[in-house]
Amino acid sequence: MILEVVQYGHPVLRQKGERVEAVTPPIQKLIADMLETMHAAKGIGLAAQQVGRALQLTVIDVRGVTDRPSTMAVDGAPVSVERHMPVVLLNPELTPTGPPATGPEGCLSFPEVFADITRPESVQVQAMNEKGERIEFHCGGLLARAVQHETDHLHGILFIDRMSREVKLELKPELDALQKATKAALKK
Ligand code: ZN
């Protein structure tokens, strides 16, 4: 089932997600719906907050982007990114491992808004997967960017919080208009 993706101005985007302790049937259904919603929207990541649920759950699939490389390694050995997609992360914990890198980002909750964001180039990820198993991997490039963007969502942090002051000022009219439209729609 395709879920509604909430937009900037909706309060749930600012809520810190509750930890998911077990992959129950309702969580399995939510994961399946989030994957379907992300793929339908041609996104590379979707956090539970973006479908109105304040949970530490995100889904990621970078296969749709071919011009921005990703890397992945398990126990120090490189693995196929392609074969590990989509990735489902519950309660992810990140450890930055690379120098800062700047690259363009968008967000399904901010239609038409794109900006350069600086984040560590690579991260070590520990999480639980959709089977309830502990997983750990290292990632770089676009995948590392997506993992960090989505993990931010799980803590109520948005990519606009990571923009430079100049960029945010430039985008202010657009952001204010989006926030206002979302709030007006919520009141109805
Ligand atoms: Zn986002």
Side-chain angles (χ1 to χ4, degrees), residues 60-89:
I60 293 167
D61 191 342
V62 294
R63 283 175 298 184
V65 180
T66 50
D67 59 343
R68 296 174 72 189
S70 296
T71 61
M72 199 172 179
V74 179
D75 294 332
V79 296
S80 158
V81 173
E82 190 91 344
R83 246 187 281 160
H84 284 78
M85 295 294 121
V87 169
V88 177
L89 302 175

mmCIF file of all heavy atoms in Angstrom, residues 60-89:
data_model
loop_
_atom_site.group_PDB
_atom_site.id
_atom_site.type_symbol
_atom_site.label_atom_id
_atom_site.label_comp_id
_atom_site.label_asym_id
_atom_site.label_seq_id
_atom_site.Cartn_x
_atom_site.Cartn_y
_atom_site.Cartn_z
ATOM 1 N N ILE A 60 16.056 2.105 2.620
ATOM 2 C CA ILE A 60 16.975 2.769 1.683
ATOM 3 C C ILE A 60 17.181 1.862 0.470
ATOM 4 O O ILE A 60 17.297 0.642 0.608
ATOM 5 C CB ILE A 60 18.331 3.048 2.375
ATOM 6 C CG1 ILE A 60 18.151 4.101 3.476
ATOM 7 C CG2 ILE A 60 19.394 3.503 1.361
ATOM 8 C CD1 ILE A 60 19.311 4.227 4.423
ATOM 9 N N ASP A 61 17.231 2.485 -0.716
ATOM 10 C CA ASP A 61 17.553 1.742 -1.936
ATOM 11 C C ASP A 61 18.199 2.711 -2.913
ATOM 12 O O ASP A 61 17.518 3.556 -3.488
ATOM 13 C CB ASP A 61 16.277 1.127 -2.537
ATOM 14 C CG ASP A 61 16.587 0.131 -3.637
ATOM 15 O OD1 ASP A 61 17.719 0.163 -4.172
ATOM 16 O OD2 ASP A 61 15.702 -0.680 -3.967
ATOM 17 N N VAL A 62 19.513 2.586 -3.081
ATOM 18 C CA VAL A 62 20.238 3.539 -3.948
ATOM 19 C C VAL A 62 20.371 3.031 -5.392
ATOM 20 O O VAL A 62 21.026 3.678 -6.214
ATOM 21 C CB VAL A 62 21.649 3.878 -3.391
ATOM 22 C CG1 VAL A 62 21.557 4.637 -2.077
ATOM 23 C CG2 VAL A 62 22.513 2.625 -3.234
ATOM 24 N N ARG A 63 19.737 1.896 -5.716
ATOM 25 C CA ARG A 63 19.920 1.334 -7.061
ATOM 26 C C ARG A 63 19.418 2.239 -8.177
ATOM 27 O O ARG A 63 19.889 2.146 -9.307
ATOM 28 C CB ARG A 63 19.208 -0.026 -7.173
ATOM 29 C CG ARG A 63 19.965 -1.145 -6.507
ATOM 30 C CD ARG A 63 19.166 -2.427 -6.532
ATOM 31 N NE ARG A 63 17.909 -2.300 -5.784
ATOM 32 C CZ ARG A 63 17.070 -3.295 -5.584
ATOM 33 N NH1 ARG A 63 17.338 -4.488 -6.084
ATOM 34 N NH2 ARG A 63 15.963 -3.115 -4.889
ATOM 35 N N GLY A 64 18.464 3.122 -7.854
ATOM 36 C CA GLY A 64 17.901 3.998 -8.881
ATOM 37 C C GLY A 64 18.859 5.072 -9.357
ATOM 38 O O GLY A 64 18.631 5.706 -10.391
ATOM 39 N N VAL A 65 19.930 5.297 -8.622
ATOM 40 C CA VAL A 65 20.883 6.363 -8.988
ATOM 41 C C VAL A 65 22.150 5.708 -9.523
ATOM 42 O O VAL A 65 22.823 4.967 -8.813
ATOM 43 C CB VAL A 65 21.229 7.250 -7.774
ATOM 44 C CG1 VAL A 65 22.204 8.345 -8.177
ATOM 45 C CG2 VAL A 65 19.958 7.855 -7.195
ATOM 46 N N THR A 66 22.456 5.970 -10.795
ATOM 47 C CA THR A 66 23.606 5.295 -11.397
ATOM 48 C C THR A 66 24.811 6.224 -11.554
ATOM 49 O O THR A 66 25.928 5.761 -11.755
ATOM 50 C CB THR A 66 23.226 4.729 -12.782
ATOM 51 O OG1 THR A 66 22.592 5.778 -13.522
ATOM 52 C CG2 THR A 66 22.275 3.552 -12.645
ATOM 53 N N ASP A 67 24.589 7.534 -11.435
ATOM 54 C CA ASP A 67 25.704 8.463 -11.672
ATOM 55 C C ASP A 67 26.408 8.896 -10.380
ATOM 56 O O ASP A 67 27.311 9.719 -10.426
ATOM 57 C CB ASP A 67 25.205 9.701 -12.449
ATOM 58 C CG ASP A 67 24.102 10.446 -11.719
ATOM 59 O OD1 ASP A 67 23.488 9.850 -10.790
ATOM 60 O OD2 ASP A 67 23.838 11.611 -12.065
ATOM 61 N N ARG A 68 25.999 8.349 -9.242
ATOM 62 C CA ARG A 68 26.667 8.696 -7.978
ATOM 63 C C ARG A 68 26.991 7.395 -7.248
ATOM 64 O O ARG A 68 26.099 6.721 -6.746
ATOM 65 C CB ARG A 68 25.756 9.589 -7.128
ATOM 66 C CG ARG A 68 25.486 10.935 -7.808
ATOM 67 C CD ARG A 68 24.467 11.739 -7.039
ATOM 68 N NE ARG A 68 24.995 12.257 -5.785
ATOM 69 C CZ ARG A 68 24.252 12.849 -4.861
ATOM 70 N NH1 ARG A 68 22.949 12.975 -5.038
ATOM 71 N NH2 ARG A 68 24.794 13.299 -3.745
ATOM 72 N N PRO A 69 28.266 7.040 -7.210
ATOM 73 C CA PRO A 69 28.642 5.719 -6.690
ATOM 74 C C PRO A 69 28.442 5.554 -5.186
ATOM 75 O O PRO A 69 28.485 6.513 -4.421
ATOM 76 C CB PRO A 69 30.122 5.609 -7.050
ATOM 77 C CG PRO A 69 30.592 7.008 -7.223
ATOM 78 C CD PRO A 69 29.417 7.822 -7.653
ATOM 79 N N SER A 70 28.226 4.307 -4.792
ATOM 80 C CA SER A 70 28.122 3.919 -3.385
ATOM 81 C C SER A 70 29.081 2.760 -3.151
ATOM 82 O O SER A 70 29.350 1.981 -4.068
ATOM 83 C CB SER A 70 26.713 3.429 -3.062
ATOM 84 O OG SER A 70 25.775 4.463 -3.214
ATOM 85 N N THR A 71 29.566 2.634 -1.925
ATOM 86 C CA THR A 71 30.371 1.469 -1.573
ATOM 87 C C THR A 71 29.794 0.855 -0.309
ATOM 88 O O THR A 71 29.113 1.529 0.475
ATOM 89 C CB THR A 71 31.843 1.835 -1.292
ATOM 90 O OG1 THR A 71 31.873 2.747 -0.175
ATOM 91 C CG2 THR A 71 32.504 2.485 -2.496
ATOM 92 N N MET A 72 30.069 -0.440 -0.128
ATOM 93 C CA MET A 72 29.587 -1.146 1.054
ATOM 94 C C MET A 72 30.614 -2.216 1.394
ATOM 95 O O MET A 72 31.176 -2.841 0.479
ATOM 96 C CB MET A 72 28.236 -1.766 0.712
ATOM 97 C CG MET A 72 27.386 -2.131 1.896
ATOM 98 S SD MET A 72 25.741 -2.611 1.309
ATOM 99 C CE MET A 72 25.005 -3.002 2.874
ATOM 100 N N ALA A 73 30.848 -2.425 2.681
ATOM 101 C CA ALA A 73 31.772 -3.478 3.113
ATOM 102 C C ALA A 73 31.244 -4.124 4.384
ATOM 103 O O ALA A 73 30.649 -3.448 5.237
ATOM 104 C CB ALA A 73 33.160 -2.897 3.357
ATOM 105 N N VAL A 74 31.436 -5.430 4.483
ATOM 106 C CA VAL A 74 31.050 -6.174 5.685
ATOM 107 C C VAL A 74 32.304 -6.857 6.221
ATOM 108 O O VAL A 74 33.011 -7.528 5.457
ATOM 109 C CB VAL A 74 29.943 -7.211 5.368
ATOM 110 C CG1 VAL A 74 29.575 -8.004 6.627
ATOM 111 C CG2 VAL A 74 28.706 -6.519 4.801
ATOM 112 N N ASP A 75 32.596 -6.672 7.491
ATOM 113 C CA ASP A 75 33.810 -7.222 8.115
ATOM 114 C C ASP A 75 35.060 -6.837 7.321
ATOM 115 O O ASP A 75 35.961 -7.655 7.124
ATOM 116 C CB ASP A 75 33.721 -8.756 8.217
ATOM 117 C CG ASP A 75 32.616 -9.193 9.172
ATOM 118 O OD1 ASP A 75 32.303 -8.423 10.108
ATOM 119 O OD2 ASP A 75 32.054 -10.291 8.977
ATOM 120 N N GLY A 76 35.088 -5.609 6.803
ATOM 121 C CA GLY A 76 36.269 -5.122 6.098
ATOM 122 C C GLY A 76 36.377 -5.552 4.645
ATOM 123 O O GLY A 76 37.280 -5.122 3.935
ATOM 124 N N ALA A 77 35.467 -6.405 4.191
ATOM 125 C CA ALA A 77 35.534 -6.881 2.801
ATOM 126 C C ALA A 77 34.442 -6.215 1.964
ATOM 127 O O ALA A 77 33.273 -6.227 2.355
ATOM 128 C CB ALA A 77 35.360 -8.393 2.759
ATOM 129 N N PRO A 78 34.809 -5.642 0.802
ATOM 130 C CA PRO A 78 33.800 -5.007 -0.050
ATOM 131 C C PRO A 78 32.735 -6.006 -0.494
ATOM 132 O O PRO A 78 33.050 -7.162 -0.773
ATOM 133 C CB PRO A 78 34.608 -4.524 -1.264
ATOM 134 C CG PRO A 78 36.034 -4.512 -0.825
ATOM 135 C CD PRO A 78 36.161 -5.569 0.235
ATOM 136 N N VAL A 79 31.485 -5.548 -0.504
ATOM 137 C CA VAL A 79 30.381 -6.392 -0.981
ATOM 138 C C VAL A 79 29.606 -5.617 -2.038
ATOM 139 O O VAL A 79 29.755 -4.399 -2.167
ATOM 140 C CB VAL A 79 29.423 -6.801 0.173
ATOM 141 C CG1 VAL A 79 30.139 -7.662 1.203
ATOM 142 C CG2 VAL A 79 28.794 -5.571 0.839
ATOM 143 N N SER A 80 28.781 -6.312 -2.792
ATOM 144 C CA SER A 80 27.978 -5.691 -3.840
ATOM 145 C C SER A 80 26.860 -4.844 -3.217
ATOM 146 O O SER A 80 26.032 -5.362 -2.472
ATOM 147 C CB SER A 80 27.390 -6.786 -4.730
ATOM 148 O OG SER A 80 26.260 -6.296 -5.402
ATOM 149 N N VAL A 81 26.852 -3.551 -3.546
ATOM 150 C CA VAL A 81 25.796 -2.659 -3.044
ATOM 151 C C VAL A 81 24.462 -3.135 -3.623
ATOM 152 O O VAL A 81 23.480 -3.290 -2.898
ATOM 153 C CB VAL A 81 26.070 -1.193 -3.471
ATOM 154 C CG1 VAL A 81 24.894 -0.296 -3.112
ATOM 155 C CG2 VAL A 81 27.355 -0.683 -2.831
ATOM 156 N N GLU A 82 24.494 -3.364 -4.928
ATOM 157 C CA GLU A 82 23.320 -3.821 -5.674
ATOM 158 C C GLU A 82 22.612 -4.983 -4.955
ATOM 159 O O GLU A 82 21.397 -4.972 -4.775
ATOM 160 C CB GLU A 82 23.847 -4.302 -7.042
ATOM 161 C CG GLU A 82 22.811 -4.590 -8.051
ATOM 162 C CD GLU A 82 22.457 -3.378 -8.919
ATOM 163 O OE1 GLU A 82 22.781 -2.216 -8.579
ATOM 164 O OE2 GLU A 82 21.837 -3.618 -9.930
ATOM 165 N N ARG A 83 23.406 -5.966 -4.547
ATOM 166 C CA ARG A 83 22.831 -7.180 -3.964
ATOM 167 C C ARG A 83 22.307 -6.971 -2.544
ATOM 168 O O ARG A 83 21.569 -7.799 -2.032
ATOM 169 C CB ARG A 83 23.862 -8.310 -3.988
ATOM 170 C CG ARG A 83 23.421 -9.422 -4.930
ATOM 171 C CD ARG A 83 24.328 -10.628 -4.844
ATOM 172 N NE ARG A 83 25.560 -10.408 -5.591
ATOM 173 C CZ ARG A 83 26.683 -11.090 -5.400
ATOM 174 N NH1 ARG A 83 26.746 -12.006 -4.448
ATOM 175 N NH2 ARG A 83 27.737 -10.858 -6.127
ATOM 176 N N HIS A 84 22.716 -5.870 -1.895
ATOM 177 C CA HIS A 84 22.259 -5.630 -0.521
ATOM 178 C C HIS A 84 21.091 -4.652 -0.440
ATOM 179 O O HIS A 84 20.639 -4.315 0.653
ATOM 180 C CB HIS A 84 23.420 -5.154 0.344
ATOM 181 C CG HIS A 84 24.353 -6.271 0.732
ATOM 182 N ND1 HIS A 84 25.292 -6.784 -0.124
ATOM 183 C CD2 HIS A 84 24.452 -6.987 1.868
ATOM 184 C CE1 HIS A 84 25.949 -7.766 0.478
ATOM 185 N NE2 HIS A 84 25.458 -7.909 1.694
ATOM 186 N N MET A 85 20.616 -4.207 -1.611
ATOM 187 C CA MET A 85 19.490 -3.289 -1.615
ATOM 188 C C MET A 85 18.178 -4.052 -1.755
ATOM 189 O O MET A 85 18.174 -5.094 -2.402
ATOM 190 C CB MET A 85 19.632 -2.289 -2.777
ATOM 191 C CG MET A 85 20.822 -1.360 -2.661
ATOM 192 S SD MET A 85 20.688 -0.226 -1.256
ATOM 193 C CE MET A 85 22.163 -0.671 -0.363
ATOM 194 N N PRO A 86 17.048 -3.576 -1.242
ATOM 195 C CA PRO A 86 16.969 -2.429 -0.334
ATOM 196 C C PRO A 86 17.491 -2.787 1.060
ATOM 197 O O PRO A 86 17.531 -3.953 1.437
ATOM 198 C CB PRO A 86 15.459 -2.130 -0.292
ATOM 199 C CG PRO A 86 14.812 -3.448 -0.574
ATOM 200 C CD PRO A 86 15.738 -4.184 -1.500
ATOM 201 N N VAL A 87 17.876 -1.750 1.790
ATOM 202 C CA VAL A 87 18.335 -1.926 3.162
ATOM 203 C C VAL A 87 17.242 -1.423 4.103
ATOM 204 O O VAL A 87 16.674 -0.352 3.879
ATOM 205 C CB VAL A 87 19.635 -1.112 3.394
ATOM 206 C CG1 VAL A 87 19.987 -1.045 4.858
ATOM 207 C CG2 VAL A 87 20.793 -1.712 2.616
ATOM 208 N N VAL A 88 16.934 -2.220 5.114
ATOM 209 C CA VAL A 88 15.970 -1.806 6.139
ATOM 210 C C VAL A 88 16.742 -1.663 7.444
ATOM 211 O O VAL A 88 17.422 -2.599 7.865
ATOM 212 C CB VAL A 88 14.847 -2.859 6.296
ATOM 213 C CG1 VAL A 88 13.892 -2.467 7.419
ATOM 214 C CG2 VAL A 88 14.092 -3.045 4.978
ATOM 215 N N LEU A 89 16.679 -0.494 8.052
ATOM 216 C CA LEU A 89 17.429 -0.244 9.286
ATOM 217 C C LEU A 89 16.478 0.122 10.420
ATOM 218 O O LEU A 89 15.694 1.065 10.316
ATOM 219 C CB LEU A 89 18.430 0.904 9.087
ATOM 220 C CG LEU A 89 19.491 0.752 7.980
ATOM 221 C CD1 LEU A 89 20.308 2.033 7.863
ATOM 222 C CD2 LEU A 89 20.389 -0.444 8.249
#
